[in-house]
Every structure is written in structure tokens, then in C-alpha cells.
Amino acid sequence: MNRYGLSKLLGACVVSLIVGCSGGSGGSGGSGGSGGSGEEGVSLSIHGTLIDGPTTSADIEIFIGDSLVSSFSSSDGGYTADIELDESESDEVVKIVATSQEDSKVKFASTLGTFSYLVEIAGDDGVLEQSESHAVNISSVSTAISAILESESDSVIESSDEWDEVFKKVDAERAFSVAAAIKIFIDYSERGISIPEEVEDTYQFASDFDLSSQYVSMFMNQMEGLFKEVKVAMAQEAGFLGTSSNNLNPIEGTYYLPSEGGRITLNTNGTGEYLNGSGLVELTWTQGPEGISLESVEPLVERIPMKVGEYYLSAVRERQFDRLFWMLDSKNQGMVVLETSDTLKFPDWAESDDIFETNYIAANSVRQSDLLSPKDILVIGNSYSMPTPDRDGEVVNYTENFQPISTLKSLKMSFAGDFENGGNVNIKIPVASGNGEIIESDVSAVWIVDDSDRLVVNFSDNERLYFSLLNFQNGEILNSFVERVSPDGLHSSTISTIFSKDVENWADSEIKGVYLYPKNFFNPLNRFYFDISADGNISTVSINDLDNNGAIEDSERQELVGLWKLKDNGNLSIRFYRSESVAEPCISDSWNPEVDAECALFQEREWDIHQIDSADKYWFQYNVKYFEDAYLSLYDEDIDVDEHVLSTNRVYHSGLIKLSERPF
């Protein structure tokens, strides 16, 4: 636990309400308003409220570096703390901790940001209030964010730049869900739901990835109604979420939402738009006491799979956007919550009635001010694998009885020219053959960097791709928002990684190892990895809690055996097979069996390695193909084929962690 942790008391200078530990000669004040500065240092008065948890009779501790201010909450949950620091300490991070005097396991917190930034937000009067920064409110939401911030920090946060870097690592949806779990522990203890015995308090629970993941997953799957009810309550009750951005950030602007693959734009004239992979909808917005009110000109229409009873159905979701809130707002990034009204329709199942829902989407947001310039990142002449919103890939030479589907989520590009004038870009577009072979078709386009610092790629058929490079999460791997305008004028978007071709090809001697997908916080028991042997064999191990009972039975663990080889293009190819007679996995004695073989080709994965980061995570363009070979005998008509029969092809980006041995 770093020095902003709850255990940092030794060596701290503790004073009631006013503290100035470091002495020094004072200074001319901080970077904020003049009212918060004096000859002795930089001063700030924080006025906040405990929203839930230890709302009354709580001990309040405000940590600022090695300094500690002690206070307490009033009967209505309000608290006040006056702080004075030497100007040299003004880049320290401020964290407020509230502990119930009645139950020490109820420990809440809020991490506000660097002291200098808070002084700037407070303005000339030197008083920081809720209307200027929502972070002064202490709640289950602020506790989850604060705890995750600390757990994601590899070292002591000592500057505003380090604060910004750690802030990017906190997943908003995880924080909102952990907050709901904390609120359930406190508000529903009469149901026998209590803070887990494995932790000392609620703050430690929120810091513990594995334990909090386990409980969030349990609430989602086994107490779905209650879990959703609590989330709705947090969004609708005053104080949990901010109704505006902080005092320094304008509400107007563009917010890129990585988890949603899209963006929301609020213009100064009250108009706006929301864009994601399903399309573009126009909005209007107004600011009010209950948040930013949104109104969709038309609903966003999306097709989604949905479980109804024991069946999975294809549903059409019509989504209206209602309100926008803030969980936390920093200088260039934040965490927002979107309130939506959704209508679910089931056109393929006449017996099902429409379902109406109110949902709350917690998402990280990146402001326009935190975009990276292509001039500082990309290298002319280098080869890149660039993301693209879903686009239909071309399939040629396929059997008349079958129509394979190819979906492209990434394209390889190499740029020539210069950043001042743009130039030409060579694009390699995968073309799938009906037998599963992939060739890359070279397409020439032109590119420029526009006035908004976006990389714009113009195809000859009036298709355009706009890349906005995001300063988000993994600093070694570039992320980009990309908007596609199709030749017929339709808009779609995605947010994904950009890979530089830093690793030329796989080395045969270095392939052996275990390649693990990162753990999903919301499905902690579901794991998948590849175990690649040096002899050309490969196993995949998949573990899935199919019945959502929180335990893995023997039937929920599956291991498949296949073959691998290096292709002439340097890519790693992995194949799995299926028995034609029983439609079950089988072990083939041939890399390329005949199409009518008893053990037929079923799946092929191709990994085109691009980058390896410092955490030994391998990043590659990923091509997955499924084949019909094992199912040809099930068709009524006689099908005469002598080559593999492709069913689907998909090209996208992925990253796997390499280990030396099996993790489980």
C-alpha cells in the first residue's frame, strides 16, 4: 500500500483542521486563484458531504503526501477541512478517508486529485465545494474509484502527470459495479449479506481485484434484480454522481468512450450527436440540476443477442439517451454515466412482448484535449495494423451452395509522404477464398492530418476513415477512435488498438509457451489459454461457469488438442478438427486432411505478430476461420466439393499474455 494508503500514519504530521508540516519560507501561492494563496504557502478549504456509508459520527482523515488533517462529520454528513501547504508540496495527491465510529469495517474514501489542481478548481475564494468538484462527496462510488486507483498504482503518485497516468487504468464500469456491491453490503445486511470476512473493511474489499470480482459476478448472476436496483438508486439519488463536469472543464466538447467504441459530442448551441458501431444519432442537450438532459432525435437501433428464459433470441434494441452524469472528472479524462431508455423487440419471435428498460452505462471518457498528434506518434514508412469499424470482406471462388461471411476489423497500412502535406497510403485488404485461403489485395489511398489533428484516409470510392489517437490505458500500445464514413454516407465507429510492425515474424524456437487471455473482471471464473508445445501440438483449455453458480464443475472445463505450424508468410497458424460422424472434436494425424475425412478441418487461427510489450504481452492481428467440412453430410442435397469449405472469416486485433507454464 502506497503512502496515500490507509495505513500511512507513522511520521505524518497530524493537526486538527489546519496543517503545515514542511515549514519552509512560504511562497507566492499555487497555480489557482489568488484567494487560496498567501505568504505562508497555499491554502484550501474543502467542504463536502458523506452521501452513504458512515454518514454520521464518522472520523475524517485527509491525506496530502506526508501530511494528515483530522476532522469529523456532522449529523447531516457534512464535513469541513482547512489545509495549508508549502507551495513545493502542492503537486501531492489529496485523499479523504471516512471511517464509521460505529463499525470500523465501513471505511469510505474519495481521491480528489493533486492539491494544486484542486486549488485551481476552487478559484479565488479558496473554498472547494460540490458545485466545483463532485469529488468532495464521499460515497460508495468515490470509495470504489479511490481504492482501484490505489491498487492500480505501481508506485507513489508524486505529480499531476503520474495522477493522469494512474487515472487511465481505472475502469469505470468496474468501479460502478464495485460501488453497487459495497452499497449492498451496507444497505442489505438484514438479508444476511455482509462485508466479506477476508477483508478488514469496505475500502480493502474494493482494492482487492479477485475478491471484488467474485462478489460482483455473484450479484450479477444470482441477484440480478437487486444488483440492478442498487445501480439505479445510485444514479437517481442525489450526491452519488456529479451533475456537471468540474469547475475548470467545459461541458461542451467531444467525449470519446473506449468501452462503447464511440463518442458523444455536445455542441455549444445545445445540439449534439452520439456515434458508435451501429450508427450516428443526433441529440439535443440542456443543463439542469439533475444532470445533463439529453434527447435523441431518433433512437439508436442495434441488433443484440438476449437471453429470454432458457433461450437466446436476436433482439432489436431501440435506445434513447436521457441523461449524462459524472463519476469523476479530471483535466483531460473522466468517468461518465449515461442514462438510457431502451425498448427491446423480438421480430423473430411473435410470442414475446416488448421489454422496456432504464439502463445506466458507466464508461471512461477521453476529452478532445487529450488526443495525441499523429506527427508525434506515427513513423512515415512503417507498417501498421489499423482498426476499422466492421466492414464486409470480399470472398471469392466459393462453392455455389455456400456463401461464406468475412468481417474485417483491422487493415494493414503503410504511409508515404509527410505530415504537412499528407501523401499516399498502401492498404492491404484481406480477400478470402471459398477454401479458406487468404490473399492480401493492395489498395492505394491518400492521407492527410486535418485541422483537428485527425489522421484521415481517403479511399477512391469516397470512403473515409478518421483516426483520433487516444492517450488512454497502455502507454506502449496505441489506442485510436476511428470513424468510418461509407461511400453511401453512413457513419460508424470503433475504438481499438493500433499495432506497429515491430516484430517481423515469429521465431520457431520462441513459440513454445502458454498464451493466456487476460482475466475478465465480470466473469472471473471464465478463462482461456493456448498451450503450445515444441513438437507441433497445441492444446486449448477453456473454463466456463456455464450455470453461473460460482463454481467450476468437471463438465465446465474443456481441453482441445490441435496442430500448429509456421506459414511461409511468417504467421503462426493453429488448426483444430472435428469428427464428421459425431460432430465432436478429434485429433487429426494430418495437418491438411481431405474435405471428406472422418476427422475434418473445423477451425484455423492465424496470428500475425506485431508487438511485444514490457509485460510480455503479445499483440497481433488475429485471423479466425471456421469451416463446414465436418457438417457436409448433414445437408440434404449432394454436395460435391474437393476443397475445404469456408463458413466464416474474421480479422481483428488481440493480445495474449505469455507464460512459461500452465496457470491452472
Side-chain angles (χ1 to χ4, degrees):
M1 182 173 288
N2 67 33
R3 75 184 193 198
Y4 304 111
L6 304 179
S7 63
K8 179 61 180 179
L9 295 176
L10 294 177
C13 177
V14 183
V15 184
S16 177
L17 299 186
I18 300 178
V19 60
C21 296
S22 62
S25 58
S28 59
S31 58
S34 58
S37 302
E39 292 183 0
E40 297 299 321
V42 185
S43 61
L44 178 69
S45 181
I46 299 176
H47 296 189
T49 305
L50 277 72
I51 302 301
D52 63 341
T55 52
T56 61
S57 302
D59 294 323
I60 306 291
E61 296 171 306
I62 299 94
F63 294 84
I64 317 100
D66 288 328
S67 302
L68 174 63
V69 176
S70 296
S71 185
F72 53 88
S73 63
S74 61
S75 59
D76 63 356
Y79 73 90
T80 300
D82 300 312
I83 307 165
E84 184 173 324
L85 293 179
D86 186 273
E87 188 175 7
S88 63
E89 299 177 290
S90 63
D91 229 13
E92 300 281 7
V93 171
V94 177
K95 185 172 80 174
I96 304 175
V97 177
T99 306
S100 171
Q101 294 179 358
E102 299 173 354
D103 183 357
S104 62
K105 295 199 74 165
V106 180
K107 186 166 288 188
F108 276 31
S110 181
T111 303
L112 284 70
T114 60
F115 185 76
S116 59
Y117 187 54
L118 300 179
V119 170
E120 191 177 357
I121 295 174
D124 290 344
D125 64 359
V127 178
L128 185 67
E129 300 176 309
Q130 177 184 338
S131 61
E132 297 164 322
S133 173
H134 175 70
V136 300
N137 282 357
I138 304 174
S139 68
S140 50
V141 173
S142 70
T143 301
I145 295 172
S146 182
I148 297 171
L149 270 168
E150 184 171 298
S151 66
E152 291 290 345
S153 175
D154 296 328
S155 59
V156 175
I157 307 173
E158 294 183 333
S159 68
S160 56
D161 288 341
E162 291 177 8
W163 159 262
D164 290 340
E165 287 303 308
V166 175
F167 191 91
K168 298 172 191 174
K169 298 179 181 180
V170 180
D171 180 77
E173 186 180 5
R174 171 187 168 189
F176 197 50
S177 297
V178 170
I182 293 173
K183 191 164 178 59
I184 289 174
F185 291 144
I186 294 173
D187 292 356
Y188 294 87
S189 56
E190 73 279 0
R191 297 193 188 182
I193 307 171
S194 58
I195 300 167
E197 295 180 355
E198 295 94 326
V199 293
E200 295 179 0
D201 50 57
T202 50
Y203 190 89
Q204 189 179 9
F205 167 80
S207 303
D208 190 318
F209 180 98
D210 291 333
L211 188 65
S212 60
S213 174
Q214 173 188 334
Y215 274 85
V216 165
S217 177
M218 180 187 71
F219 290 144
M220 287 174 59
N221 294 313
Q222 300 178 29
M223 306 173 70
E224 182 181 3
L226 175 62
F227 194 60
K228 184 173 181 179
E229 176 187 320
V230 170
K231 282 189 170 183
V232 170
M234 290 193 304
Q236 294 184 348
E237 292 179 19
F240 283 92
L241 302 176
T243 57
S244 179
S245 56
N246 73 41
N247 204 37
L248 293 181
N249 287 336
I251 295 171
E252 300 88 346
T254 294
Y255 302 79
Y256 297 95
L257 310 174
S259 62
E260 302 307 301
R263 61 167 168 81
I264 184 169
T265 299
L266 305 179
N267 300 317
T268 54
N269 63 358
T271 64
E273 60 185 29
Y274 181 89
L275 173 66
N276 72 357
S278 298
L280 178 74
V281 293
E282 295 181 351
L283 307 169
T284 58
W285 69 276
T286 55
Q287 184 178 8
E290 296 184 350
I292 305 301
S293 295
L294 305 171
E295 186 172 342
S296 310
V297 176
E298 293 181 349
L300 180 70
V301 181
E302 303 174 289
R303 241 199 212 270
I304 61 170
M306 185 172 179
K307 189 175 183 181
V308 179
E310 297 180 358
Y311 302 98
Y312 279 94
L313 302 176
S314 177
V316 173
R317 180 174 65 197
E318 297 180 355
R319 168 161 284 173
Q320 297 279 355
F321 296 93
D322 298 329
R323 286 190 293 175
L324 174 68
F325 304 98
W326 279 261
M327 293 168 64
L328 187 62
D329 191 30
S330 191
K331 186 177 297 184
N332 297 313
Q333 305 208 16
M335 301 177 203
V336 299
V337 174
L338 276 169
E339 179 188 81
T340 67
S341 296
D342 298 342
T343 303
L344 296 168
K345 301 181 178 182
F346 304 90
D348 302 328
W349 194 28
E351 299 178 7
S352 178
D353 296 329
D354 293 351
I355 298 175
F356 302 94
E357 295 181 332
T358 298
N359 285 307
Y360 294 90
I361 304 166
N364 294 79
S365 65
V366 181
R367 288 180 176 269
Q368 187 86 17
S369 58
D370 209 26
L371 295 184
L372 303 172
S373 172
K375 304 172 187 177
D376 299 329
I377 302 297
L378 302 181
V379 177
I380 301 297
N382 275 17
S383 177
Y384 295 91
S385 186
M386 308 287 286
T388 176
D390 288 8
R391 55 190 296 143
D392 295 333
E394 184 181 2
V395 182
V396 299
N397 302 326
Y398 53 88
T399 305
E400 182 180 349
N401 307 72
F402 302 94
Q403 174 63 67
I405 298 173
S406 181
T407 304
L408 307 180
K409 295 175 177 285
S410 69
L411 300 171
K412 296 176 185 175
M413 299 185 187
S414 181
F415 300 90
D418 60 73
F419 289 109
E420 296 302 320
N421 305 297
N424 295 320
V425 53
N426 178 260
I427 304 173
K428 293 186 179 297
I429 298 182
V431 177
S433 177
N435 65 3
E437 293 182 2
I438 304 294
I439 60 172
E440 291 183 328
S441 173
D442 288 314
V443 173
S444 182
V446 296
W447 68 274
I448 59 168
V449 176
D450 68 7
D451 293 339
S452 298
D453 236 5
R454 298 179 299 181
L455 176 67
V456 184
V457 174
N458 289 282
F459 292 74
S460 58
D461 62 355
N462 293 322
E463 176 184 356
R464 298 184 303 282
L465 295 175
Y466 296 86
F467 295 91
S468 300
L469 309 186
L470 305 181
N471 186 9
F472 182 70
Q473 286 191 342
N474 189 333
E476 298 179 66
I477 304 298
L478 188 61
N479 286 270
S480 177
F481 169 84
V482 52
E483 177 179 354
R484 180 187 182 216
V485 182
S486 67
D488 54 5
L490 297 178
H491 293 248
S492 60
S493 70
T494 190
I495 293 180
S496 187
T497 46
I498 291 178
F499 297 153
S500 172
K501 187 60 174 173
D502 293 346
V503 181
E504 189 59 33
N505 286 313
W506 290 90
D508 187 74
S509 61
E510 298 176 357
I511 292 176
K512 178 184 175 182
V514 174
Y515 297 81
L516 173 70
Y517 279 104
K519 180 181 288 189
N520 184 313
F521 178 82
F522 298 97
N523 297 288
L525 294 181
N526 296 355
R527 307 304 307 274
F528 190 98
Y529 63 81
F530 302 84
D531 186 358
I532 302 180
S533 304
D535 59 4
N537 291 312
I538 180 172
S539 297
T540 63
V541 176
S542 60
I543 299 174
N544 293 281
D545 184 17
L546 299 175
D547 55 10
N548 292 321
N549 69 349
I552 298 296
E553 286 82 34
D554 291 342
S555 61
E556 295 175 320
R557 177 187 175 99
Q558 184 180 46
E559 182 165 350
L560 300 180
V561 178
L563 303 173
W564 69 269
K565 65 179 291 187
L566 279 180
K567 300 183 72 171
D568 292 340
N569 62 4
N571 293 348
L572 176 62
S573 180
I574 299 166
R575 285 186 168 184
F576 294 95
Y577 307 87
R578 193 168 283 254
S579 170
E580 185 178 24
S581 59
V582 295
E584 292 289 338
C586 57
I587 301 175
S588 175
D589 57 6
S590 169
W591 170 260
N592 194 37
E594 297 294 329
V595 66
D596 58 353
E598 171 60 27
C599 191
L601 178 62
F602 169 66
Q603 180 196 92
E604 182 174 15
R605 303 170 186 252
E606 189 170 327
W607 298 351
D608 183 354
I609 184 71
H610 276 68
Q611 290 182 245
I612 303 173
D613 68 19
S614 59
D616 222 18
K617 191 170 184 179
Y618 284 54
W619 301 88
F620 32 77
Q621 189 185 65
Y622 203 131
N623 190 181
V624 177
K625 293 172 282 188
Y626 286 90
F627 295 86
E628 293 279 1
D629 297 23
Y631 304 101
L632 295 178
S633 62
L634 301 178
Y635 289 88
D636 294 333
E637 64 268 27
D638 240 357
I639 299 175
D640 184 19
V641 294
D642 56 9
E643 291 186 302
H644 301 303
V645 180
L646 180 68
S647 173
T648 61
N649 175 64
R650 191 159 59 105
V651 181
Y652 58 102
H653 286 168
S654 187
L656 298 175
I657 303 166
K658 187 175 182 182
L659 307 173
S660 58
E661 57 185 27
R662 291 189 175 197
F664 42 82

